[in-house]
Amino acid sequence: MRATVVVPVLKSRSRGGQSESASTRTPESRLEEATGLAQAIDLDVVNGSIVPVNDPRPATLLGTGKIEEIKALLDERDSGLVIVDHPLTPVQQRNLEKEWNAKVIDRTGLILEIFGRRASTKEGTLQVDLAHLNYQKGRLVRSWTHLERQRGGGGFMGGPGETQIEADRRMLQDRIIKLERELEQVVRTRQLHRAKRRKVPHPIVALVGYTNAGKSTLFNRITGAGVVAEDMLFATLDPTLRRMKLPHGRTVILSDTVGFISDLPTHLVAAFRATLEEVLEADLILHVRDMSDADNQAQSSDVMRILNDLGIDEAEAEKRLIEVWNKIDRLEPEVHDAMVQKSAGASNVVAVSAVSGEGVDTLMEEISRRLSGVMTVATIRLPVDKLALLPWLYDHAIVDSREDNEDGTITLDLRLSETEATELERRIGNGPKSDKEDWER
């Protein structure tokens, strides 16, 4: 379908009376992103317009002159769909459709359409369906405008048109309640999975970032997984978890989450709460940024705002977050070198290219360092009846050396965190007293 993208730029008044943009994003970047969103569902974008709006109209958002100007463009380009990169009320949406004689969807509707295409699991489908129904609930009047003339009947019913709308609204509400119950089961299942992971306490590392920042490509580079990774907004939607080994042998779980986006509808955040809770449970958060995007600073602010909404404040983010400056392979040589040098001097930043692999080893070392905490050096001799502990040791400690003794025992030089050292003492302490004597620190 041939589509036209319209980006309204609303003006707000500052204290000094100067007019300034109400959005932190540049109009050009908003237009580029909205066009990318449209192309992500195979729409043919034939025109894009940035429209200044000094005085938003309650009925149409845009002024009469701009509406006529866009109408002429639609007729000229034979465009049957208009995407308005701004929330529209049901009345504004209906009036613009009448004025332009074309289908009109706002930013929320477009994102919902993309999510509907991308959802590939039962959980993802449930989340999208719930968000879509909540979005449609307030717009039923648009779907039944052909019944408006039938309103005004006597009695309390108010005419068959109103009755039909109310019946539809009840059907929608029943469906919403059913989906919410199914999603509650999803939440309980995820909680059970998390509880099982805590029993085998592998640290969790979560990838977050603006959509198309390269999270899935980095996920594939680190884990060797085959997650879909394309140069496309919201190429992946459902979360993926994989085990991986850090450089010194420690096992962690890496989680790839749905990409964030500016002005993400609140009911979408609510619907994807079960998915985003993977971030809340993470021991370490990798904030992947596309440093080749001129608008990456505003994108970073949008991600941090959503993390804050989820309950991760700045103080907690400072302890748990590493910024991954991705796509440095796309930068000019001088900019590339300056960015690598700048990241090297920062305590929580690593510059990488998920495509070429540059900087990924440094990132893995930093993950290992951040998760290790205070390391304890230990030498342990495992008796024959304790050899079953070997897999646990290789999963939870760094084994620097191993010696297989003639009597069947094994001597290991280890490095492990204080927590894991305490757990190892507990496991060894469950055996005979002589086993305790083989534990040295």
Side-chain angles (χ1 to χ4, degrees):
M1 181 181 290
R2 295 166 70 85
T4 293
V5 175
V6 175
V7 178
V9 181
L10 275 64
K11 302 290 182 177
S12 63
R13 293 288 175 182
S14 65
R15 291 181 180 178
Q18 297 294 321
S19 181
E20 58 182 13
S21 175
S23 173
T24 58
R25 312 289 303 281
T26 63
E28 292 76 18
S29 68
R30 287 181 56 199
L31 177 59
E32 182 181 355
E33 181 178 276
T35 302
L37 288 169
Q39 291 170 342
I41 50 173
D42 303 321
L43 293 175
D44 179 18
V45 180
V46 295
N47 186 61
S49 303
I50 296 172
V51 181
V53 181
N54 294 321
D55 184 20
R57 305 290 177 88
T60 56
L61 182 66
L62 309 179
T64 306
K66 283 297 179 184
I67 289 176
E68 293 176 355
E69 183 181 319
I70 292 170
K71 169 66 175 171
L73 279 173
L74 295 177
D75 293 339
E76 180 185 336
R77 302 291 176 90
D78 190 26
S79 178
L81 174 66
V82 181
I83 298 165
V84 180
D85 189 51
H86 190 274
L88 293 176
T89 66
V91 170
Q92 289 171 341
Q93 190 172 1
R94 181 180 61 184
N95 289 341
L96 287 175
E97 285 185 342
K98 286 181 178 179
E99 292 287 344
W100 290 334
N101 193 29
K103 174 71 176 173
V104 175
I105 61 174
D106 63 3
R107 181 180 179 85
T108 301
L110 178 59
I111 294 174
L112 283 170
E113 187 70 27
I114 296 170
F115 276 31
R117 297 273 191 99
R118 298 286 182 268
S120 59
T121 65
K122 181 181 179 182
E123 177 189 350
T125 304
L126 286 173
Q127 291 168 328
V128 172
D129 285 349
L130 178 60
H132 198 275
L133 288 174
N134 278 317
Y135 174 71
Q136 283 295 109
K137 189 167 64 172
R139 298 170 184 263
L140 277 178
V141 66
R142 257 191 352 101
S143 303
W144 295 100
T145 50
H146 65 287
L147 296 176
E148 284 179 343
R149 285 178 237 151
Q150 299 179 24
R151 293 181 179 174
F156 297 99
M157 298 300 292
E162 185 175 357
T163 303
Q164 179 63 67
I165 291 170
E166 288 302 320
D168 240 39
R169 187 171 287 124
R170 283 194 298 272
M171 289 173 62
L172 267 183
Q173 189 59 39
D174 290 344
R175 175 68 176 149
I176 287 170
I177 291 171
K178 184 175 182 294
L179 286 176
E180 286 176 341
R181 287 172 181 165
E182 291 184 49
L183 274 174
E184 283 175 8
Q185 182 59 46
V186 169
V187 172
R188 286 194 292 269
T189 302
R190 282 194 172 275
Q191 288 172 344
L192 288 172
H193 289 168
R194 292 188 191 112
K196 287 180 180 178
R197 289 201 294 266
R198 289 190 197 104
K199 290 179 181 178
V200 183
H202 295 313
I204 298 174
V205 179
L207 293 172
V208 302
Y210 207 79
T211 180
N212 209 34
K215 296 184 308 302
S216 296
T217 305
L218 182 61
F219 185 89
N220 289 340
R221 167 69 64 174
I222 293 175
T223 65
V227 175
V228 175
E230 298 180 26
D231 187 12
M232 179 189 296
L233 298 173
F234 295 115
T236 55
L237 180 59
D238 297 296
T240 308
L241 287 86
R242 291 286 188 277
R243 289 190 183 192
M244 71 171 188
K245 291 275 190 181
L246 293 176
H248 299 295
R250 188 177 190 183
T251 300
V252 300
I253 295 174
L254 188 66
S255 171
D256 184 18
T257 61
V258 62
F260 295 171
I261 195 167
S262 64
D263 303 320
L264 190 66
T266 52
H267 50 268
L268 262 182
V269 175
F272 281 81
R273 185 83 189 190
T275 301
L276 296 175
E277 279 176 356
E278 293 291 346
V279 178
L280 296 177
E281 294 286 326
D283 298 278
L284 192 61
I285 300 170
L286 305 185
H287 176 192
V288 183
R289 294 176 57 182
D290 177 3
M291 302 308 287
S292 66
D293 193 314
D295 215 33
N296 72 80
Q297 188 59 52
Q299 292 175 355
S300 175
S301 298
D302 289 326
V303 171
M304 295 308 297
R305 192 177 303 113
I306 295 174
L307 287 178
N308 189 65
D309 290 342
L310 288 171
I312 301 173
D313 58 24
E314 289 186 15
E316 190 175 359
E318 191 173 336
K319 293 186 293 184
R320 295 171 55 193
L321 190 139
I322 298 175
E323 278 201 5
V324 181
W325 291 357
N326 192 27
K327 301 190 183 183
I328 58 173
D329 55 297
R330 295 187 176 186
L331 303 175
E332 294 295 327
E334 299 82 7
V335 180
H336 168 280
D337 295 342
M339 190 162 292
V340 171
Q341 186 175 359
K342 184 178 179 181
S343 68
S347 59
N348 65 334
V349 176
V350 180
V352 307
S353 167
V355 171
S356 70
E358 180 186 357
V360 171
D361 289 342
T362 304
L363 174 62
M364 297 291 280
E365 289 285 350
E366 179 63 16
I367 294 172
S368 183
R369 186 189 70 80
R370 292 283 289 269
L371 290 177
S372 64
V374 179
M375 297 298 288
T376 298
V377 177
T379 299
I380 183 171
R381 182 173 64 83
L382 282 180
V384 176
D385 63 341
K386 292 290 185 180
L387 294 184
L389 281 176
L390 272 176
W392 186 92
L393 285 169
Y394 276 98
D395 274 345
H396 293 80
I398 300 169
V399 180
D400 290 323
S401 68
R402 167 176 169 166
E403 182 181 351
D404 295 310
N405 304 314
E406 292 182 2
D407 60 357
T409 62
I410 297 176
T411 302
L412 300 166
D413 290 327
L414 307 171
R415 281 178 290 152
L416 66 174
S417 69
E418 289 285 353
T419 302
E420 286 158 343
T422 302
E423 173 64 13
L424 181 56
E425 280 191 277
R426 186 190 68 78
R427 289 174 180 247
I428 291 179
N430 288 337
K433 184 177 180 180
S434 59
D435 291 344
K436 284 189 177 181
E437 295 170 357
D438 294 324
W439 164 260
E440 302 171 7
R441 265 197 277 168

